[in-house]
Amino acid sequence: MAPAKPLIIYIHGFNSSPASHKAQTFLNYVQTHDLPCELWIPEMPVWPGEAARMLLQRALEASICRPVHIIGSSLGGYYGTWLMESILDHCPDCPVKLVLINPAVRPYDLFEDYLGPQKNYYSDDEYELTQEHVEQLRHLEIETLSRPDNILLLVQTGDETLDYEQAVARYAECPARIDEGGSHAYDGFESTIPVILQFLSAHYVAAVSLSG
């Protein structure tokens, strides 16, 4: 029996969606090159506790029999950091890797300025961001990275939403690519996908070569 394909979890950012440009670009790349993986791009619940439970349940089910690879964009990077450490808490030998794209650092501090009515950029769903959201997010903070070598940080200095220097300091022990200029959306994302795949697994790169 062939081994189970790795699971790639793509976690989108605040008020974003699986329909976001980066998520769809990555999905199209995976499909076009027929990469040997299962890609999951979940619609993230607005409640951090609910989002965390959903992510961990799926990841732990997968980690029993296959590698788990996580890509987190913006707020998704904060969730991804928590998810990686939570997987390792349950399965210390699990081959889990994480790629962070302009990740949020201490987003619960930033959310204090966004309390009140919110609307999802893609679905137009409306909700109220409350102090309880902030506290649930704070509860997911990770103090120590147990496998920094398995985390790749991708940031652009032109990020107009988040301070890239906070991410560089937070993930100082991790391999990193720091691009001058750019934006929070991460300009040139499609051309960076091979870098992401190379970090996650050489098998992905080999599959791309064969498909080309």
Side-chain angles (χ1 to χ4, degrees):
M1 180 181 296
K5 295 180 180 179
L7 174 66
I8 298 181
I9 303 175
Y10 182 99
I11 310 174
H12 64 70
F14 179 57
N15 282 342
S16 190
S17 156
S20 69
H21 175 71
K22 285 196 298 293
Q24 287 299 303
T25 298
F26 191 77
L27 172 62
N28 290 337
Y29 192 98
V30 168
Q31 293 177 337
T32 299
H33 296 283
D34 194 24
L35 293 188
C37 68
E38 177 187 353
L39 176 61
W40 182 44
I41 309 177
E43 183 82 47
M44 293 293 286
V46 298
W47 287 100
E50 182 182 344
R53 286 190 294 272
M54 175 188 71
L55 291 170
L56 186 58
Q57 179 179 352
R58 181 68 180 273
L60 290 181
E61 289 172 354
S63 67
I64 295 173
C65 59
R66 52 182 168 160
V68 175
H69 299 149
I70 306 164
I71 302 171
S73 173
S74 192
L75 181 60
Y78 180 77
Y79 280 122
T81 302
W82 173 85
L83 181 59
M84 179 177 182
E85 294 299 329
S86 297
I87 294 170
L88 293 174
D89 282 345
H90 287 81
C91 179
D93 297 325
C94 180
V96 57
K97 286 190 172 183
L98 169 65
V99 176
L100 303 168
I101 305 167
N102 284 338
V105 176
R106 299 176 62 87
Y108 43 83
D109 288 340
L110 298 175
F111 271 25
E112 297 283 358
D113 296 330
Y114 290 89
L115 296 179
Q118 296 289 326
K119 178 184 285 190
N120 186 282
Y121 303 134
Y122 293 86
S123 67
D124 288 333
D125 288 345
E126 298 182 359
Y127 66 98
E128 188 85 6
L129 186 66
T130 69
Q131 191 64 42
E132 178 60 25
H133 287 89
V134 175
E135 294 308 314
Q136 287 189 14
L137 203 58
R138 190 189 308 275
H139 186 67
L140 303 179
E141 177 68 46
I142 295 296
E143 296 295 334
T144 303
L145 303 174
S146 57
R147 289 193 196 170
D149 289 346
N150 281 12
I151 300 174
L152 173 63
L153 175 66
L154 302 174
V155 294
Q156 294 188 333
T157 65
D159 189 334
E160 71 284 2
T161 302
L162 300 173
D163 182 354
Y164 83 94
E165 291 182 335
Q166 291 185 0
V168 171
R170 171 71 172 95
Y171 298 97
E173 298 179 85
C174 306
R177 170 173 159 173
I178 304 170
D179 291 345
E180 292 294 324
S183 68
H184 185 62
Y186 202 92
D187 296 359
F189 174 69
E190 185 169 10
S191 65
T192 310
I193 292 178
V195 175
I196 293 172
L197 297 177
Q198 176 69 58
F199 178 78
L200 293 177
S201 173
H203 294 293
Y204 298 147
V205 179
V208 170
S209 298
L210 289 173
S211 69

